[in-house]
Amino acid sequence: MSQEIHGTHSDEPDDPAEPAATRRAADEAESSRASRGWWDRNADEYQNDHGGFLGDDRFVWGPEGLDEAEAALLGPAASLKGLDVLEIGAGAAQCSRWLAAQGARPVALDLSHRQLQHALRIGEGIPLVEADAGRLPFRDGSFDLACSAYGAVPFVADPVQVFREVHRVLRPGGRWVFSVTHPIRWAFPDEPGPEGLSVAASYFDRVPYVEQDEQGDAVYVEHHRTLGDRVRDVVAGGFRLVDLVEPEWPAWNNQEWGGWSPLRGNLIPGTAIFVCERDRPSAEGSARTTLGA
Ligand SMILES: C[S@@+](CC[C@H](N)C(=O)[O-])C[C@H]1O[C@@H](n2cnc3c(N)ncnc32)[C@H](O)[C@@H]1O
């Protein structure tokens, strides 16, 4: 099952213009190449379809509409002033714009040139960096916080490499908060209606979802990790997990976003947000999981 957060694919299953969907291995290089191409080709449609919901300068964690202004997962808004923040998989940098409005100093990083052009279209003033999350072009200890709303993590073959990179560029005590498709969704069809409520695949099957062209080259890749895998990846990346947030579907939100809908949102989780911390030196070397601490 794919869980396509972009939500821009044709609904026609036999559309000849659509690449063929399959399940097969896809390594880091192929996944990165596919993601760059896909987001460059589809950024316009993504921003056209979802830009209204995202707003120009809101920080939304996912299709449920949980807003950082209310959730304060990076810390109280008033505490963000003057902090260096890295946003990974920033798209059009809406989250960074909200962070800048709080007085933070965000840097918005994305693999896709076209997504970053949308950031410029919305407004100037946010530093933009075109790079892969697996190789961050920053010195060690450059940031106080790092965040990602569905950026990069669901699309990379080696999330631990991304987490190690984030750990490297964060200062001791820094937070790393990222949202991804809730892993349970992998077992269900990616449909917003009742057909999306019956288990159709194994939650434990980690074989990537790949769309490929006629030559067999991947043009879109999604990598599944179970909830336990994600926790182990966070710890392997050097972090302590301090919270795992599963936003509930709010009564005000009547919008569908791909397979995310009020119907499904009221029954099963759609987003998982991992709140992680890089320990200060005295505690490092004993990275541990403290869920709910
Ligand atoms: C679902 S969009 C989310 C964008 C934005 N955070 C938002 O909420 O609209 C995923 C973004 O991750 C970016 N991305 C995918 N793989 C990446 C990678 N390996 N490194 C950096 N960015 C990546 C894509 O280019 C895309 O802009």
Side-chain angles (χ1 to χ4, degrees), residues 4-7 28 31-36 38-40 43 46-47 50 54 60-62 87-95 109-113 115-116 129-136 147-157 162 179 220 257:
E4 293 163 351
I5 184 67
H6 53 74
E28 195 56 28
S31 302
S32 176
R33 199 165 48 242
S35 289
R36 184 190 297 271
W38 198 93
W39 287 99
D40 277 345
Y46 177 83
Q47 296 300 336
H50 306 300
L54 294 169
V60 181
W61 282 109
E87 184 188 1
I88 292 183
Q94 290 94 339
C95 302
L109 176 142
D110 201 284
L111 186 65
S112 161
H113 189 74
Q115 285 279 59
L116 295 175
V129 175
E130 187 178 326
D132 193 308
R135 285 175 295 281
L136 296 175
C147 59
S148 180
Y150 277 88
V153 178
F155 309 105
V156 298
V162 172
S179 63
Y220 179 81
W257 177 321

Side-chain angles (χ1 to χ4, degrees), residues 115-254:
Q115 285 279 59
L116 295 175
Q117 283 184 321
H118 279 281
L120 283 177
R121 171 184 56 77
I122 294 172
E124 296 188 350
I126 306 290
L128 306 175
V129 175
E130 187 178 326
D132 193 308
R135 285 175 295 281
L136 296 175
F138 306 105
R139 290 207 181 96
D140 298 3
S142 299
F143 297 95
D144 300 298
L145 298 169
C147 59
S148 180
Y150 277 88
V153 178
F155 309 105
V156 298
D158 187 357
V160 175
Q161 167 67 18
V162 172
F163 298 164
R164 287 199 179 115
E165 276 292 89
V166 174
H167 186 273
R168 181 183 65 73
V169 303
L170 274 177
R171 297 178 184 129
R175 270 197 170 194
W176 161 226
V177 186
F178 65 94
S179 63
V180 291
T181 307
H182 196 291
I184 193 63
R185 296 295 270 260
W186 191 253
F188 294 85
D190 187 26
E191 298 291 342
E195 61 277 33
L197 294 175
S198 301
V199 169
S202 170
Y203 167 77
F204 299 104
D205 183 352
R206 278 85 158 179
V207 179
Y209 170 85
V210 175
E211 292 173 10
Q212 56 189 22
D213 62 19
E214 286 168 359
Q215 286 73 47
D217 295 327
V219 294
Y220 179 81
V221 180
E222 259 179 50
H223 292 271
H224 170 60
R225 309 288 288 147
T226 66
L227 208 48
D229 292 339
R230 290 259 182 245
V231 172
R232 282 183 288 279
D233 289 351
V234 160
V235 174
F239 288 98
R240 188 161 52 89
L241 181 62
V242 295
D243 202 356
L244 170 53
V245 179
E246 297 164 294
E248 296 188 29
W249 198 273
W252 61 263
N253 187 356
N254 54 14

